Amino acid sequence: MVTTAAPPHLAPDRAPRRRRGSRLMLRNLLIGWTFILPNFIGFAVLTLVPVLTLFYMSFTDWNIFGSSSWIGLDNFTRLAGDATFRTSLWNTLYFTAVHVPLTLAASLGLALLLNRKLRGVTFFRTVAFFPYITSIVAIAAVWNMLFSPELGPINQFLRFIGIENPPEWTVSTTWSMPAVIIVSTWRFMGYYMLLFLAGLQTVPRELHEAARMDGAGAWQRFLNVTMPCLRPTTFFVTVMLTINALKVFDLVLVMTNGGPGTSTMVISQFIWQRGFTENQFGYAAAAAVVLFGLSIAITIFQFLWNKRREA
């Protein structure tokens, strides 16, 4: 067998090519890290380190004035027996279960209504979005006056149409949470309306025209054309709505302050009270870990459910 050796002039030519390829890869890697590193540093300093500190604090007894002491799972055991925490957990789930589908339906309805070529449609889109950027204190003050049991326009209108004993809204333990949900839905539906409007722009008109030619009505086209095309947008809006609903705080604080009693107290307010009012930072951190775990669990369930529907 005769072995043919490679020409000697090719061997030294491959080494420079490999070095040039390695330098190009290193250069691209450095450029990529240059773009990523500032964001990663910001995430690590402002999010990752505080979250890790939070998990550590949840296993300690610390009131910020002295050194912390490790107590293990005592804070979580205490949470399990805390009636106020159980009430705030139930109120948070109640708020989320009602607020998410209500806001989803209202924002989608607004988007479908304002997606048409109407006169002054830009003005109405601005009006619908305006509550989202309005001061939460102003919103709470105005709506508390609207919900006034005796002098509020809402109850006056209900009496006008024949309801003799209208709800007492924010001063009632039964109706205070529905009042908060109504205001929260009114505030956020304009923002999520814009997301649905963006999603509606991606629905091909050819599909609607083909369905119309096949004799499909407006409702059938909505169910079989619009909604399937809006599935990614609907999934994103649902996840964002759920996360924001679970951590609701500011509206409840300025509108009802968790009352009457604890009828509208949510987990975020429970954490704020235990941490910044009673200086029980370890106990408040344990409640925050529970809220974090609840948010992660519900979000993972939504991802798995959406993946199953797409399969």
Side-chain angles (χ1 to χ4, degrees), residues 178-201:
V180 174
I181 293 173
I182 291 172
V183 177
S184 183
T185 299
W186 171 81
R187 184 190 180 201
F188 284 102
M189 65 182 182
Y191 171 75
Y192 294 106
M193 173 203 69
L194 295 181
L195 300 181
F196 276 120
L197 278 173
L200 288 172
Q201 303 301 318

Side-chain angles (χ1 to χ4, degrees), residues 2-16:
V2 180
T3 303
T4 305
H9 65 276
L10 292 180
D13 198 32
R14 292 177 179 175

Side-chain angles (χ1 to χ4, degrees), residues 91-206:
N91 289 337
T92 302
L93 295 176
Y94 171 33
F95 177 88
T96 303
V98 180
H99 171 68
V100 171
L102 187 61
T103 307
L104 193 68
S107 57
L108 178 57
L110 271 178
L112 292 171
L113 182 64
L114 297 179
N115 191 45
R116 303 179 180 181
K117 295 181 179 180
L118 302 174
R119 187 174 183 180
V121 67
T122 304
F123 170 77
F124 289 110
R125 289 177 181 176
T126 305
V127 170
F129 180 74
F130 188 73
Y132 180 74
I133 60 175
T134 304
S135 168
I136 189 66
V137 177
I139 289 175
V142 172
W143 276 97
N144 276 336
M145 289 187 289
L146 293 175
F147 281 129
S148 176
E150 299 298 332
L151 304 176
I154 294 177
N155 278 3
Q156 290 183 6
F157 173 75
L158 293 177
R159 292 189 186 97
F160 175 76
I161 62 176
I163 300 177
E164 297 181 358
N165 297 312
E168 296 183 350
W169 299 113
T170 56
V171 297
S172 167
T173 57
T174 304
W175 288 96
S176 53
M177 183 59 79
V180 174
I181 293 173
I182 291 172
V183 177
S184 183
T185 299
W186 171 81
R187 184 190 180 201
F188 284 102
M189 65 182 182
Y191 171 75
Y192 294 106
M193 173 203 69
L194 295 181
L195 300 181
F196 276 120
L197 278 173
L200 288 172
Q201 303 301 318
T202 64
V203 179
R205 294 183 179 180
E206 295 80 7

Side-chain angles (χ1 to χ4, degrees), residues 234-272:
T234 304
F235 172 68
F236 175 76
V237 170
T238 303
V239 171
M240 296 302 298
L241 264 173
T242 304
I243 294 174
N244 288 329
L246 289 172
K247 63 185 185 68
V248 61
F249 172 70
D250 50 359
L251 181 62
V252 173
L253 184 66
V254 298
M255 192 171 177
T256 63
N257 196 25
T262 57
S263 59
T264 58
M265 176 176 286
V266 291
I267 296 182
S268 296
Q269 188 178 9
F270 178 88
I271 296 169
W272 176 76

